[in-house]
Amino acid sequence: MGCRIAGCGKALPQLAVTNDDLAQLVDTSDEWIVERTGIHRRHIAIGETATDLAAAACTDALARADLAPADIDLLICMTISPDSVVPSQASLIRARIGLDNAIAFDLNAACTGCIYGMEVASTMIEASMLSQGVASPLAHRRNPLRRALVVGAERLSRITDWSDRATCVLFGDGAGAVVLEWSEEAPGILASFLKNTDDDTLCLTCDQSFDMSTFPFAEGAACESVGAVMGIQAVDKEGNPAGIAPHLPFIRMQGQRVFKFATAAIVEAAREVCERAGVSLDEVSCIVPHQANDRIIRYAAKKLGVPYERWQVSIGEVGNTSASSVLMALSDAYAAGRIQAGDKVMLVGFGGGLTSGALLFVA
Ligand code: COA
């Protein structure tokens, strides 16, 4: 028994922006972007909201699972770029697609959001289902949860600094969704591995700096930025102060530091989840990694000794879509027929926080 993946879906904004389009905006080139990242284009939401994209991805996943909105008991939305904070992004999606029986909330684990979201949803379902039996001493203590929609929804274009060539070429918008369903027969999710590492050089941030000069009762108070809160300062690749401009709610990144973290984190998470499941890497038919940089995927493939052909690589068409990335890529893997019933599949991610993790399931 366990939580199985019953269906998967994705949605992209209409507008595709090429590397050449970006070269009109900042000092960059198609050659540089492709060589350093593997990205050819990304989609940018102009007419679409995060709610539009998430609703489309969820509807797609429900159709593939042959389920109706009323069948869903739980909705978790992972995002760092919601349409609103209150109501939560999940509440907006719930209302939009009529998930009348679902509880709904948001979760922020940045680009590892999908792994964290699926882990939270599956453990909530498991705890609920195991407590539902009449004989259980825990009977009726929890909401009855049998099926969940787990959706990543990002409009990173809204938190991208379009004058910063080091970041604006990397990110894109989109949504990916999965339906998790309790099954008495299927093994479903075999194991998970989640990890947080302090970002003690602030190598990946999206600050919500608060200008205290506009705050009542706070004369002379300093601006509250993430650096001030943590008592640390962001540094560049040489270790010098990076000088992040306050009050700008944009993604800021020290690429090389993140690259170093990402390559170590992806390898660790892949190994750990296999060990927990008692499964060898050779038995895993398809690995679906966070789509941040093709070079990170190639590094991990080499280090782990898993042929590149067994990795789902979608980044070329969509860029880095943070919490949506792994579920969008999983949807691509299913659509391409790369995952068959009974296959062992690994999802693996890393991102801001710093967070990292992996999840292994039987399709
Ligand atoms: N076009 C052209 N040149 C660019 C550029 C762009 N879009 N962005 C940066 N450059 C320049 C830099 O200014 C630097 O120039 P300099 O040598 O004169 O200082 C040069 O290219 C090399 O920059 P660097 O940052 O060292 O490049 P890199 O090989 O590390 O590649 C990343 C940059 C961002 C692609 C890479 O570091 C990366 O992918 N990091 C991890 C990102 C990630 O995973 N983020 C998401 C985590 S969830």
Side-chain angles (χ1 to χ4, degrees):
M1 63 179 69
C3 262
R4 61 180 280 270
I5 277 69
C8 203
K10 76 166 193 181
L12 284 168
Q14 257 193 335
L15 179 69
V17 172
T18 65
N19 294 341
D20 287 335
D21 293 332
L22 286 179
Q24 309 283 321
L25 213 60
V26 289
D27 182 13
T28 191
S29 65
D30 179 56
E31 193 190 1
W32 191 96
I33 300 169
V34 172
E35 190 187 310
R36 304 280 178 131
T37 69
I39 300 170
H40 294 271
R41 59 186 65 76
R42 71 289 295 143
H43 290 249
I44 302 296
I46 303 299
E48 303 92 345
T49 62
T51 308
D52 294 333
L53 297 170
C58 288
T59 304
D60 188 14
L62 281 171
R64 289 172 199 278
D66 202 16
L67 292 169
D71 296 324
I72 299 299
D73 309 307
L74 166 67
L75 170 72
I76 300 179
C77 180
M78 299 81 64
T79 182
I80 58 168
S81 52
D83 288 336
S84 77
V85 175
V86 179
S88 67
Q89 182 60 64
S91 301
L92 300 180
I93 301 163
R94 181 190 187 279
R96 174 69 68 82
I97 56 177
L99 300 174
D100 295 341
N101 301 317
I103 54 166
F105 61 90
D106 289 356
L107 183 155
N108 172 357
C111 300
T112 324
C114 145
I115 315 281
Y116 277 63
M118 287 176 70
E119 171 72 350
V120 171
S122 61
T123 52
M124 283 179 74
I125 289 175
E126 191 174 313
S128 170
M129 293 311 298
L130 293 178
S131 70
Q132 297 303 316
V134 187
S136 166
L138 302 174
H140 312 304
R141 287 199 198 173
R142 294 195 158 103
N143 279 26
L145 306 175
R146 176 176 287 275
R147 295 188 192 93
L149 259 170
V150 181
V151 56
E154 299 284 21
R155 278 196 311 175
L156 300 179
S157 55
R158 302 301 191 274
I159 52 171
T160 295
D161 179 350
W162 291 100
S163 66
D164 177 16
R165 69 175 182 174
T167 53
C168 77
V169 302
L170 302 175
F171 300 106
D173 300 338
V178 71
V179 177
L180 294 177
E181 178 177 56
W182 179 255
S183 165
E184 296 294 333
E185 296 85 33
I189 295 171
L190 297 178
S192 61
F193 171 81
L194 303 181
K195 182 171 174 178
N196 270 58
T197 306
D198 293 341
D199 185 0
D200 51 17
T201 60
L202 299 182
C203 64
L204 187 48
T205 60
C206 183
D207 209 335
Q208 298 288 318
S209 295
F210 192 80
D211 180 4
M212 290 297 285
S213 67
T214 64
F215 196 82
F217 323 116
E219 204 177 324
C223 168
E224 282 182 357
S225 63
V226 64
V229 169
M230 297 301 293
I232 50 180
Q233 192 170 17
V235 293
D236 64 16
K237 57 188 174 192
E238 277 89 32
N240 302 314
I244 292 177
H247 309 313
L248 297 177
F250 295 138
I251 301 170
R252 298 284 178 203
M253 192 177 66
Q254 292 299 325
Q256 287 191 6
R257 286 181 185 272
V258 178
F259 195 94
K260 205 168 155 203
F261 159 72
T263 44
I266 192 170
V267 168
E268 178 190 37
R271 284 192 177 134
E272 289 286 342
V273 80
C274 280
E275 195 172 318
R276 286 184 180 180
V279 165
S280 83
L281 273 162
D282 291 342
E283 294 173 67
V284 180
S285 333
C286 182
I287 301 184
V288 184
H290 172 43
Q291 310 286 315
N293 188 325
D294 185 45
R295 283 195 292 142
I296 294 174
I297 299 172
R298 286 183 187 277
Y299 172 92
K302 197 165 170 204
K303 189 87 180 166
L304 292 166
V306 177
Y308 182 70
E309 295 66 42
R310 273 202 268 149
W311 296 70
Q312 174 64 36
V313 182
S314 302
I315 189 170
E317 297 300 306
V318 294
N320 180 346
T321 56
S322 193
S324 307
S325 131
V326 173
L327 292 182
M328 283 170 49
L330 179 62
S331 194
D332 290 344
Y334 272 107
R338 298 189 63 182
I339 299 176
Q340 305 300 327
D343 283 355
K344 293 190 177 69
V345 179
M346 183 195 294
L347 310 182
V348 59
F350 53 85
L354 301 164
T355 50
S356 54
L359 207 126
L360 194 67
F361 68 91
V362 178

